[in-house]
Amino acid sequence: MQLESFIKDLEQRKQTAEMMGGETKVRNHRNAGFLTARERIDKLLDRDSFLEMGKLNHSEFLGAENKSAADGVIAGIGEIDGRPVVVSAIDKTVFAGTEGSVHMRKVKKVHEYAVKRGFPIFNLGEGGGLRMPDGMGSDGISDKMMPMNLLLHERQVPLISSIMGDSYGGPTWFAVSSDFVTQVKGTSMAVAGPRMLEMATGEKVDSQELGGWKLHAEETGQVDHCAESEEECLETMKQFFSYLPQNADEEPPFQATADDPNRSIEEAVNIVPTKRTRAYNMKKLIKLIVDDGEFFELKPSFGEALITGLGRLNGRVVGIMANQPMKYAGAAGTQECDKATEFICLCDSYHIPLLFLHDIPGFRVGSIGEQQRIPTKIMVWNQALARSTVPKISVIVRKSIGAAYGNMCGPGMGADFIVAWPTAEINFTGPEVGVNVVYGRQLMEAENPQEQRMKMIDQWAFDSSPYNAAGKHLIDDVIDPRDTRKFLCQTLDYTCMKNGSKSKRRLAGWPTGY
C-alpha cells in the first residue's frame, strides 16, 4: 500500500471530523441563530493561527465512534493579536454538547499545557454537562469529579470564558471559576437545566428564570458582561484580554498613546458638584482621567454603587475602583463588597496597579445588611486590600466617611499615595448624622434648634476638610482637580520604578467568587 493511500485516509478522517455532528445538525444549529464551535474559534483567533489538538478524538463507547467528532469539543492553540492562547469550544452538534470521557481528558490536557507554557485559556461555553452513559455507575462517576487543575488553578494564566448557548454543568463550572465571563443575552447558565431540574426536584422554571443574563448580571454577579450577539461576545473577550498579561510571570502589555500624561482635565470642575448631596456620574470623571477616554467596565449592573474596571494611564494598565454617587449616593452594600473583593484579587494576581476614587458616605447598614452578613463582607474586602501588593493610589474626590474610608484604601491600608481634592470631606460620620448623635440633647435645649444645628453642621464640615489631615501628614497632599491625570501618571511611574507593577500574588489562591 502506497503512502498516498494512508494520507488520503487521514484527510478523509479529518474532513469527517470537521463536519462535527453532521450536515443536518449543523444546519439546524445555524438555523437556530447560533454559530458553530469552529466558526466561533475562527472569529476569535487571528486568521490561520489555529493548531487543533484532538481533532480525531471520538467517544470511547462502542458504536459511537462515527457520530462523536472530536468528542464534542474543539480545542487547540492559536493567537489573538499575535499573542498565543489556548482555546476550547464545546460543539453543541455532538451529543448536545455533553461531556464524555475523551472530551474531559482533552480539556484537562490543553489546560495543563496552557499553564505549563504560560498561555491564557479561552473557553467558549455551550452544553449540557456530563454525558449520561460516560458518567453512569460507580466507575463512570468516580473519575469525573471536579477537575483539580481547575480548582487549584490559582490564576497562573488568565481564564476567559463565554456563555454562548444554554450551559449546564461543566461550562458553568468553568465560567464561574474564570477571571472574566461574558454571557450572550437569551442564553442560560446554571448547574442543571430546566428539564433535569423538573425531573429531579419537581420545580418548573424556564431557562431565563433559572440562569438568564439578567439574573447573573444584576443579582448573582457571576457574569462580568452581557452581549447582544455572539460576535460582540467574542470581541469583548478579546478586549478584556488586551488589558491582561500573558501569565502570572508577566506584567500587562504596555500600549503607546498620544494622550498627553500632563493633560489638564478642565472639565472635571464642571462634573463634580461642591454640594455633597448632589449626584453626578463618576464614569464621566473616569473617562476624563484615563488614556483616550477608554474604560472597560466590569459587572456594570451588579453592585452599581461601586464602579470597577480597567483603563490605562500613559500606556500602563490600571484597575479603577470608584464610588458611584448616582446609586445610593455611593454607599456600598453587600454586592459592592463582593464586587470589590473579586476585583482586588483579579488586579493583584495579574500585576495591575489599583486606583481608588473616593466619594462614599459609608455602608448601607441595617437589618437587611446584617441578614446578608455585611460585617463579614466589609472585612473580607479589607482583608483582600491588606494582602494586595500591587501599587495603589487613592484620590478622595468628595466624601469618604467612616469605615468605608479604609475600604477605599485610605491611610494605613497600603496605598503608595493618598491625596484629596479641596472638595473632600473626611470624617467618622457625615455632618447631619454626627451633629444629631453628638449634640442631640444640646439641640433640644437650644432656643433656636434649627439655627444652632446649622452652625454645628458648618463647624463639622470645617473639621472634615482635607487640610487637617494634610497638615498632620495623614494624607500626602491636596491637589488641584484639574491636575488629577498628571498626578496619577507621574506617581504611577514612580510606584513601578523598582519592580514594575509586579505583586507578590498573595491573593492568587483566593476564590473566584464571593
Side-chain angles (χ1 to χ4, degrees), residues 18-303:
E18 288 173 1
M19 290 300 294
M20 298 174 284
E23 187 177 340
T24 301
K25 289 185 178 180
V26 169
R27 183 174 59 250
N28 291 341
H29 188 71
R30 286 175 177 151
N31 289 343
F34 296 99
L35 297 171
T36 68
R38 292 191 179 277
E39 289 168 341
R40 290 167 180 167
I41 290 174
D42 286 344
K43 288 181 178 293
L44 177 70
L45 299 179
D46 297 347
R47 184 184 294 273
D48 298 326
S49 70
F50 185 49
L51 173 64
E52 186 171 353
M53 301 168 69
K55 179 182 279 191
L56 299 178
N57 292 163
H58 54 73
S59 171
E60 290 182 335
F61 277 80
L62 292 176
E65 296 92 340
N66 296 323
K67 53 184 178 180
S68 55
D71 205 29
V73 61
I74 317 301
I77 304 167
E79 293 182 3
I80 294 176
D81 296 327
R83 302 170 67 188
V85 300
V86 160
V87 59
S88 64
I90 295 176
D91 180 5
K92 190 70 175 289
T93 69
V94 173
F95 295 132
T98 53
E99 300 158 277
S101 300
V102 177
H103 175 128
M104 298 175 75
R105 191 176 302 134
K106 174 161 53 176
V107 170
K108 180 175 182 287
K109 178 80 171 181
V110 297
H111 187 123
E112 289 172 345
Y113 187 80
V115 172
K116 180 180 179 180
R117 295 303 177 199
F119 296 165
I121 300 171
F122 283 73
N123 185 63
L124 309 183
E126 175 184 31
L130 183 60
R131 198 175 299 160
M132 281 292 188
D134 297 65
M136 296 304 288
S138 60
D139 55 339
I141 190 63
S142 291
D143 64 350
K144 296 176 184 65
M145 295 290 93
M146 293 295 179
M148 290 299 287
N149 60 310
L150 182 60
L151 299 177
L152 299 176
H153 180 74
E154 296 187 341
R155 300 178 174 93
Q156 296 170 85
V157 299
L159 296 183
I160 301 173
S161 289
S162 60
I163 299 297
M164 306 185 78
D166 287 351
S167 298
Y168 307 113
T172 297
W173 304 138
F174 202 100
V176 299
S177 302
S178 295
D179 298 304
F180 177 79
V181 186
T182 176
Q183 180 175 5
V184 177
K185 292 181 179 181
T187 66
S188 177
M189 178 181 78
V191 172
R195 182 165 170 267
M196 174 71 79
L197 194 65
E198 183 178 353
M199 289 189 295
T201 70
E203 181 182 0
K204 293 184 179 181
V205 61
D206 69 37
S207 62
Q208 289 303 295
E209 290 178 293
L210 182 64
W213 68 271
K214 282 185 71 67
L215 172 74
H216 293 312
E218 299 173 5
E219 301 296 332
T220 73
Q222 291 181 121
V223 300
D224 301 287
H225 172 269
C226 293
E228 297 289 343
S229 66
E230 293 192 42
E231 289 81 2
E232 181 191 341
C233 174
L234 294 167
E235 285 302 315
T236 303
M237 296 173 82
K238 291 195 276 189
Q239 189 179 357
F240 174 77
F241 177 45
S242 72
Y243 290 97
L244 261 66
Q246 194 73 4
N247 52 64
D249 294 328
E250 297 182 9
E251 292 181 64
F254 181 88
Q255 182 173 296
T257 178
D259 197 347
D260 185 356
N262 297 320
R263 171 171 54 83
S264 177
I265 55 170
E266 300 290 335
E267 301 94 324
V269 175
N270 299 318
I271 289 177
V272 182
T274 55
K275 189 175 181 181
R276 64 184 298 276
T277 55
R278 282 190 59 194
Y280 64 96
N281 192 343
M282 179 65 84
K283 294 178 189 179
K284 291 183 179 180
L285 179 60
I286 293 171
K287 290 181 179 180
L288 267 184
I289 293 171
V290 297
D291 292 354
D292 307 306
E294 293 180 357
F295 177 61
F296 186 90
E297 188 174 0
L298 301 173
K299 302 187 192 299
S301 302
F302 179 77

Side-chain angles (χ1 to χ4, degrees), residues 389-434:
T389 53
V390 285
K392 295 183 283 289
I393 304 171
S394 246
V395 180
I396 305 154
V397 173
R398 201 164 59 165
K399 56 191 178 292
S400 199
I401 305 297
Y405 182 28
N407 285 72
M408 287 298 293
C409 205
M413 295 303 292
D416 291 80
F417 296 94
I418 304 175
V419 296
W421 283 14
T423 49
E425 175 189 333
I426 307 166
N427 213 319
F428 171 66
T429 188
E432 292 84 359
V433 174

Side-chain angles (χ1 to χ4, degrees), residues 443-473:
L443 287 171
M444 288 174 63
E445 296 171 354
E447 290 185 12
N448 190 333
Q450 186 60 27
E451 181 181 333
Q452 184 66 18
R453 184 173 183 272
M454 292 309 298
K455 287 180 181 179
M456 289 177 173
I457 287 175
D458 288 342
Q459 179 61 40
W460 194 285
F462 173 78
D463 292 341
S464 302
S465 82
Y467 296 107
N468 289 337
K472 297 179 181 179
H473 204 78

